[in-house]
């Protein structure tokens, strides 16, 4: 395999490590309660403000998987370097998996800010020819700047 055959261009490599603009999520009680209901989790931390306060929280908290599925950014602040995405030379793509790490509970009333950056680009030879594997990382911070969660997503283009 000659070096000239690489599908990873210098332009794509230049995107590694650049952060996207910020997505801002306003977390409200009704969204948390709906999510707890949908996953069938009766934990009162996710439903009962008094109970959550008795455990030292400001308000009800969101179950860990909540932020992974909470796809309703209130606004995008375009202060990024154009990170998090690039033009793939392939037409087809699939999700190669997501991993999440949770550091601190998200509470109703929080404002969560997330940024995405491209962490890694690799290529592999597959049955159908070359495949491009892109790993991106997303960091979620609350209004106090504390990291509440991180994710790593693997995208495969072919």
């Amino acid at each position: 395999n000659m070096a000239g055959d690489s599908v990873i261009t210098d332009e794509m490599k230049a995107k590694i490590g650049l952060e996207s603009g910020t997505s801002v999520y306003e977390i409200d009680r009704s969204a948390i309660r709906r999510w707890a209901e949908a996953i069938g989790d009766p934990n009162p931390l996710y439903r009962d403000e008094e109970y959550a306060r008795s455990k030292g929280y400001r308000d009800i908290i969101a179950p860990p998987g909540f932020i992974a599925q909470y796809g309703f950014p209130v606004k995008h602040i375009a202060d990024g370097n154009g990170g998090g995405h690039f033009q793939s030379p392939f037409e087809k793509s699939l999700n190669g998996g997501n991993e999440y790490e949770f550091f601190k509970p998200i509470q109703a009333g929080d404002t969560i800010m997330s940024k995405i950056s491209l962490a890694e680009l690799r290529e592999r030879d597959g049955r159908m020819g070359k495949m491009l594997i892109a790993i991106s990382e997303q960091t979620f911070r609350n209004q106090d700047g504390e990291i509440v969660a991180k994710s790593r997503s693997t995208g495969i283009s072919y």
Side-chain angles (χ1 to χ4, degrees):
N1 198 8
M2 292 164 42
D5 291 342
S6 178
V7 295
I8 300 173
T9 64
D10 288 343
E11 194 179 352
M12 286 157 67
K13 283 182 195 155
K15 295 275 189 184
I16 295 172
L18 297 182
E19 286 193 317
S20 68
T22 305
S23 294
V24 180
Y25 307 84
E26 304 286 350
I27 308 300
D28 67 34
R29 282 186 199 133
S30 61
I32 292 173
R33 287 193 179 118
R34 277 198 310 274
W35 178 249
E37 193 71 34
I39 63 172
D41 194 323
N43 188 332
L45 280 175
Y46 308 149
R47 298 160 185 268
D48 181 338
E49 293 132 66
E50 295 304 312
Y51 180 79
R53 286 196 190 102
S54 79
K55 297 296 179 196
Y57 296 106
R58 187 186 68 245
D59 207 320
I60 61 172
I61 67 171
F66 175 82
I67 198 64
Q69 299 296 327
Y70 191 69
F72 309 103
V74 171
K75 53 186 180 276
H76 288 285
I77 303 168
D79 62 350
N81 304 309
H85 58 86
F86 60 92
Q87 191 58 51
S88 170
F90 299 104
E91 283 180 26
K92 295 182 182 159
S93 66
L94 54 95
N95 183 342
N98 302 312
E99 293 166 38
Y100 286 86
E101 270 182 286
F102 302 103
F103 297 98
K104 195 176 168 79
I106 291 169
Q107 302 179 62
D110 279 355
T111 299
I112 302 296
M113 285 144 284
S114 82
K115 288 181 180 241
I116 298 176
S117 65
L118 181 63
E120 211 180 310
L121 285 173
R122 295 196 304 260
E123 61 187 308
R124 270 214 314 254
D125 289 312
R127 286 197 316 260
M128 318 274 279
K130 284 206 183 294
M131 296 189 313
L132 178 66
I133 294 142
I135 296 170
S136 54
E137 291 178 344
Q138 188 168 13
T139 302
F140 300 87
R141 293 178 187 271
N142 65 19
Q143 62 280 357
D144 300 321
E146 300 166 315
I147 294 176
V148 295
K150 284 185 174 183
S151 75
R152 274 176 73 86
S153 304
T154 303
I156 301 167
S157 307
Y158 57 99

